[in-house]
Amino acid sequence: MHNDDYWMAHALSLAKRAEQQGEVPVGAVIVHDDQLIGEGWNQPITNNDPTAHAEIQALRAACQQFKNYRLPEATIYISLEPCVMCAGAIVHARIKRVVYATKEPKTGAAGSCFNIFNTPQLNHHVDCEHGILADESSALLRNFFRARR
C-alpha cells in the first residue's frame, strides 16, 4: 500500500521551504517501507550549485541514511517532473518508483520532453506515475513565477 497523498503533501511542504528561500518551489521525499529516508528542496541559488535540485538533495540524504548509493526498493515523491540530470541520478540510484505531481513541459524527463525512465538502452527502468496533488503543485509554481515577473 502506498501513502502517495501523504508523501506528496510532504514534498509540497518542502517546495514551500524552497520558495521561502527564493528558490523555484520544488520538493522531493524518498521513502522506503513507508519510512522517510531522505528529503530535499531546490537550493541551487542558495548553495551556488547547479546540481542542488530537490531530487539530488533527497538522494544524497537517503543514500547517507541507507549507507548505500543504491536505493532499489525506494519511492521518490517530487512536486515537479524531474529534469534530465535528476532523472539520470534516479536511474543510477536504482530507485524503484517515481511519483511526481505536475508535468514540466519545457524540461521534463519523465515523459514530457524525454522519457529517461523507460529508455530501452538503459539497464534500469523506473515505474513512474504523476498527477498526485498536481493542481496544488501547479498553483505553487504558477504563483511563484507570476510574482517574479
Side-chain angles (χ1 to χ4, degrees):
M1 180 184 138
H2 303 293
N3 290 313
D4 292 345
D5 289 319
Y6 174 82
W7 292 115
M8 188 61 74
H10 187 75
L12 280 169
S13 73
L14 296 171
K16 291 173 185 172
R17 186 181 285 183
E19 180 182 39
Q20 291 168 352
Q21 294 178 346
E23 302 277 1
V24 175
V26 179
V29 175
I30 300 179
V31 176
H32 183 270
D33 288 337
D34 208 35
Q35 298 293 313
L36 177 68
I37 61 169
E39 63 183 23
W41 57 94
N42 267 4
Q43 297 180 68
I45 298 166
T46 303
N47 293 344
N48 296 309
D49 179 357
T51 70
H53 288 194
E55 301 93 325
I56 301 299
Q57 303 291 79
L59 283 167
R60 288 175 178 155
C63 289
Q64 289 299 311
Q65 170 82 15
F66 225 61
K67 305 272 190 260
N68 197 333
Y69 73 109
R70 298 275 166 87
L71 305 166
E73 295 302 315
T75 297
I76 186 169
Y77 295 87
I78 315 162
S79 61
L80 181 65
E81 181 178 2
C83 70
V84 172
M85 173 185 70
C86 293
I90 289 166
V91 168
H92 282 295
R94 304 299 194 262
I95 295 279
K96 181 177 185 173
R97 181 172 174 252
V98 169
V99 180
Y100 68 89
T102 193
K103 292 185 176 235
E104 180 21 293
K106 293 182 179 179
T107 62
S112 289
C113 294
F114 308 98
N115 193 344
I116 301 299
F117 297 138
N118 290 307
T119 300
Q121 295 86 348
L122 298 178
N123 64 346
H124 179 71
H125 300 128
V126 180
D127 296 331
C128 187
E129 301 169 40
H130 71 279
I132 308 266
L133 301 180
D135 291 341
E136 293 87 337
S137 179
S138 293
L140 182 65
L141 288 157
R142 191 172 39 256
N143 293 337
F144 174 80
F145 286 111
R146 187 175 293 141
R148 294 196 143 227
R149 291 186 182 119

